[in-house]
Amino acid sequence: MGEKACPFRVNEYKENQNIACVSLRPVQTTVLGKTAKVYLVPFSLSNYKPDKLKRPKSLLDKNSNNEVACKKCKKAEIKKTCRRILTPKMEATSSKAESTLQKSSLDVHAESNKWQYKNTSDTVILSADTESSQDGDSDEGTTPGMDDFSGLSPYEKKRLKNISENANFFASLQLSESAARLREMIKKRQPPESKRKKPKKKENGTGCRRSMRLLKVDPSGVSLPATPTQPILVADENPLLPPGPLEMTSENRDDNSELFKGFLQTWAEVSKTRSKNTEKELSSIKNYKANLNGMIISEDTVYKVTKGPIFSVALHPSEIRTLVAAGARSGQVGLWDLTHQPKEDGVYSFQPHSQPVSCLYFSPANPAHLLSLSYDGTLRCGDFSRAVFEEVYRDEGSSFSSFDFLAEDASTLIVGHWDGSMSLVDRRTPGTSCEKLINSSLSKIRTVHVHPVHRQYFITAGLRDIHIYDARCLKPNRSQPLISLTEHTKSIASAYFSPLTGNRVVTTCADCKLRIFDSSCISSKIPLLTTIRHNTITGRWLTRFQAVWDPKQEDCIIVGSMAHPRRVEIFHERGKWVHSFLGGECLASVCSINAMHPTRYILAGGNSSGRIHVFMN
């Protein structure tokens, strides 16, 4: 490398000054810990000639000696300084060492800048040449110039710069200090390990005293015989009522009052009067709609009759009074005379069963008899003339679901069980047992309904299938049905023949469909006529919908609805909508179970809160 100009150069001034004599004034200064002499020589620029101004030989010798000594001294000092700075840093990290080297070079440059000063009359002449020392160091393979990294390629300079910046950045994060603090915190949190000293067992010491009764030994040490454990009796939430007849004891009023006696007498007298017109004619749809439009509901025709949800509803066939019966989940049977005012005095509730009453019918032979069937395995007949609930059929080992009259005089009954079996009951036979118990192929029976014309046929609704049986061919063993309907894809709620001719069958299924079949010819197969889309998903807390026929108009069906506002809907057998009973504020809940009067335009619906809603002209 070529020799560069020394940074400590003589200041030149363009001032005319007359200098009489030249005198040398020595000044001492310190460079990198070494003392150097500086001679100040005043001179004039106007009289300056290069050959004229010469230093004495002694001074030249002295300066040359000092220059050599200064070079060696500075070279040694730079090496020592770099070695002192770089050695401990290189042991820790190379990147930090290079940044420290750059910092030390900058410090040297800053220190050298302090040596420069300006004087109009004096010129600084330094005997030490720092540039030559730098060149000498670079030739010998030591650290390059500390000011501008002379002798390095641009890549190396950029690399050293990046290393320095990264080192400064990581130094500013103080990661090592944070790590040290975390280590101290972890050490402080760790509890000292202390092993619990186990107590030494005393070989000759006495043990703990134990109860001989708990050890089941007698004082002599002989073990006692095991005592048999007595079973814990759990109280039944719905205990069965005692067998035999039960008196009509009102749950909501005084039994000895004259009002209650008059209530029973009214029911008995009304049942004696029968309609003279026994002919049932099917009216046109136009007249039927007109009569339906005249049916309204009011606050006087809505009242809570039972406790809990209503599972069954029946309307008395009286032409004079409007009498409604309702069976509840609590086992109650509620009676309501709507012609009695105030309406609170016309409502009486009884407890003939201990579990839900799923089926209610007034006897076709004697309307003073109200037959009720319950899950508790009992079938009772409420006789209003004697104010008693007689027991017709009892089977404590089974649970009943539905029943119907096989004979028109209501002497024989067919009873369906929840386990899929069926019972034939003859009321003329003494006792409360059945005549015949039949096992069917169904796993569960929900409803049983008898054909209105050919009463030997009856239909049962199972879990997924519907069967039609002939009562004359029933055997105690598993009886085969005459017809099986397998079109349903989900659980079936009910199946009923049409009330006048029995030529149609309506079914209610959980797949949100009402199906109507043609049963005019009971053969090996019954064709499907109509499918009506209807929401039948009632959920857990509502009674399941059961579509029933209107006894006056056997081509129309009545079913509850989940739509808002709440309503009860009527459909034609062809699938057309006929009418919707809307009650506004009087009908604020879902009426799952509905029944129509056999001769009058009166509709009664029961909801999940025990209320009866009545639409009437």
Side-chain angles (χ1 to χ4, degrees):
M1 294 178 63
E3 184 176 353
K4 294 183 179 181
C6 179
F8 309 102
R9 296 192 180 278
V10 178
N11 295 326
E12 298 179 356
Y13 297 92
K14 297 180 180 181
E15 296 179 0
N16 297 324
Q17 296 179 0
N18 297 323
I19 302 173
C21 63
V22 177
S23 63
L24 298 178
R25 299 193 297 267
V27 178
Q28 292 185 356
T29 183
T30 303
V31 179
L32 297 177
K34 298 297 181 178
T35 303
K37 281 187 177 182
V38 179
Y39 292 88
L40 302 179
V41 181
F43 68 97
S44 176
L45 293 177
S46 58
N47 301 329
Y48 171 71
K49 292 181 180 181
D51 299 332
K52 190 175 181 179
L53 182 60
K54 293 182 179 180
R55 288 177 287 181
K57 185 178 181 179
S58 61
L59 182 59
L60 292 174
D61 297 339
K62 206 180 283 187
N63 287 341
S64 61
N65 295 335
N66 291 338
E67 185 177 356
V68 174
C70 236
K71 284 183 179 181
K72 294 181 179 180
C73 178
K74 183 164 184 189
K75 181 177 179 180
E77 286 296 330
I78 291 175
K79 286 184 179 181
K80 290 181 181 180
T81 304
C82 291
R83 189 181 296 112
R84 185 177 64 255
I85 296 173
L86 293 177
T87 300
K89 299 295 181 180
M90 290 177 66
E91 293 177 356
T93 174
S94 59
S95 61
K96 193 171 181 179
E98 293 175 357
S99 63
T100 308
L101 177 60
Q102 183 179 1
K103 186 176 180 181
S104 61
S105 64
L106 295 175
D107 293 339
V108 172
H109 177 64
E111 189 70 24
S112 62
N113 289 338
K114 294 180 181 180
W115 300 338
Q116 299 182 18
Y117 61 92
K118 297 178 181 181
N119 196 319
T120 57
S121 60
D122 296 336
T123 303
V124 179
I125 301 176
L126 294 178
S127 60
D129 189 358
T130 58
E131 187 69 20
S132 61
S133 67
Q134 290 178 2
D135 293 341
D137 294 341
S138 61
D139 295 339
E140 296 176 9
T142 58
T143 306
M146 306 301 290
D147 293 333
D148 55 353
F149 301 103
S150 59
L152 296 179
S153 64
Y155 169 76
E156 291 176 342
K157 293 179 181 180
K158 186 175 181 180
R159 177 175 173 273
L160 291 177
K161 182 180 178 182
N162 292 340
I163 291 174
S164 176
E165 291 177 355
N166 293 338
N168 294 335
F169 172 72
F170 282 108
S172 65
L173 295 180
Q174 299 179 352
L175 296 179
S176 58
E177 298 179 2
S178 301
R181 287 196 300 269
L182 289 175
R183 289 193 208 96
E184 293 179 359
M185 293 172 63
I186 293 173
K187 290 181 180 179
K188 290 180 180 178
R189 288 181 181 178
Q190 290 180 352
E193 296 182 359
S194 59
K195 294 183 179 180
R196 184 178 180 182
K197 296 181 180 180
K198 297 182 179 180
K200 295 181 179 180
K201 296 183 178 180
K202 297 181 180 180
E203 297 180 357
N204 298 329
T206 58
C208 299
R209 296 182 60 185
R210 295 184 180 181
S211 172
M212 301 185 72
R213 177 180 61 82
L214 297 177
L215 295 176
K216 296 181 180 181
V217 295
D218 58 5
S220 60
V222 180
S223 60
L224 298 174
T227 57
T229 58
Q230 296 180 356
I232 301 175
L233 299 177
V234 180
D236 191 1
E237 295 181 358
N238 300 312
L240 288 175
L241 298 177
L246 299 175
E247 294 184 1
M248 283 190 177
T249 304
S250 177
E251 296 286 327
N252 59 341
R253 295 190 180 278
D254 187 7
D255 301 338
N256 299 324
S257 64
E258 295 295 332
L259 188 62
F260 177 67
K261 294 179 181 179
F263 174 80
L264 294 179
Q265 186 177 359
T266 300
W267 278 73
E269 292 177 355
V270 168
S271 300
K272 294 179 181 180
T273 60
R274 298 182 182 180
S275 176
K276 295 181 180 180
N277 186 13
T278 58
E279 296 182 0
K280 298 179 180 179
E281 297 180 357
L282 189 65
S283 62
S284 63
I285 293 295
K286 185 177 181 180
N287 295 334
Y288 183 65
K289 286 184 176 180
N291 291 323
L292 295 178
N293 290 330
M295 298 171 62
I296 60 174
I297 189 174
S298 63
E299 294 183 356
D300 294 335
T301 59
V302 179
Y303 196 75
K304 185 177 178 63
V305 178
T306 61
K307 295 179 180 178
I310 292 177
F311 277 38
S312 55
V313 176
L315 275 168
H316 194 278
S318 172
E319 297 285 346
I320 302 172
R321 286 178 175 267
T322 303
L323 306 175
V324 183
R329 185 172 65 181
S330 59
Q332 285 186 339
V333 173
L335 302 177
W336 184 17
D337 183 5
L338 275 77
T339 56
H340 197 285
Q341 293 297 331
K343 60 181 180 181
E344 293 83 1
D345 296 338
V347 177
Y348 288 89
S349 60
F350 308 94
Q351 192 76 39
H353 302 281
S354 59
Q355 292 185 22
V357 179
S358 58
C359 196
L360 277 178
Y361 284 116
F362 286 97
S363 173
N366 185 5
H369 292 173
L370 175 64
L371 281 83
S372 60
L373 177 139
S374 174
Y375 289 5
D376 61 2
T378 59
L379 174 61
R380 295 183 179 273
C381 176
D383 189 352
F384 298 109
S385 59
R386 297 190 300 135
V388 65
F389 286 100
E390 293 180 351
E391 193 170 63
V392 178
Y393 177 41
R394 185 183 185 92
D395 187 358
E396 296 182 359
S398 181
S399 180
F400 302 156
S401 60
S402 179
F403 83 97
D404 200 4
F405 302 101
L406 278 174
E408 292 184 1
D409 59 356
S411 59
T412 56
L413 310 172
I414 181 73
V415 179
H417 300 237
W418 280 111
D419 59 0
S421 59
M422 297 174 291
S423 300
L424 283 175
V425 179
D426 192 344
R427 297 176 63 188
R428 297 167 295 186
T429 303
T432 58
S433 61
C434 64
E435 297 294 325
K436 190 185 293 185
L437 183 64
I438 303 101
N439 294 323
S440 69
S441 58
L442 298 174
S443 61
K444 185 181 294 185
I445 294 178
R446 294 186 184 275
T447 60
V448 175
H449 194 237
V450 178
H451 196 283
V453 178
H454 307 287
R455 303 196 72 88
Q456 70 272 17
Y457 300 121
F458 64 91
I459 188 170
T460 59
L463 186 62
R464 294 287 179 90
D465 299 330
I466 292 177
H467 291 174
I468 297 178
Y469 293 91
D470 188 350
R472 298 171 298 181
C473 302
L474 294 179
K475 297 179 180 180
N477 297 330
R478 179 169 294 183
S479 297
Q480 296 299 326
L482 296 176
I483 303 172
S484 296
L485 305 179
T486 59
E487 287 83 356
H488 304 82
T489 58
K490 290 188 177 181
S491 177
I492 301 171
S494 62
Y496 295 105
F497 285 110
S498 56
L500 299 181
T501 62
N503 292 335
R504 299 289 185 267
V505 172
V506 60
T507 63
T508 307
C509 185
D511 59 359
C512 296
K513 291 181 181 179
L514 307 178
R515 293 176 175 86
I516 298 175
F517 297 86
D518 183 7
S519 59
S520 58
C521 181
I522 297 179
S523 59
S524 61
K525 186 176 181 181
I526 293 180
L528 176 64
L529 294 180
T530 310
T531 300
I532 304 173
R533 293 287 301 176
H534 187 72
N535 185 8
T536 58
I537 308 300
T538 57
R540 179 181 179 183
W541 306 109
L542 298 180
T543 308
R544 300 184 67 176
F545 289 162
Q546 292 184 1
V548 295
W549 298 97
D550 187 345
K552 303 181 297 298
Q553 194 83 15
E554 72 165 2
D555 58 352
C556 294
I557 57 175
I558 306 167
V559 65
S561 176
M562 296 293 294
H564 290 274
R566 300 305 185 189
R567 66 193 70 181
V568 178
E569 295 183 317
I570 295 182
F571 295 95
H572 194 264
E573 64 177 10
R574 296 179 181 178
K576 294 182 179 181
W577 169 85
V578 177
H579 185 74
S580 292
F581 294 98
L582 300 174
E585 295 181 356
C586 296
L587 186 62
S589 58
V590 177
C591 288
S592 301
I593 306 298
N594 301 277
M596 186 72 85
H597 195 278
T599 57
R600 301 164 59 188
Y601 283 90
I602 299 175
L603 172 68
N607 64 8
S608 60
S609 62
R611 293 179 179 273
I612 292 291
H613 302 76
V614 179
F615 293 83
M616 56 192 304
N617 288 325

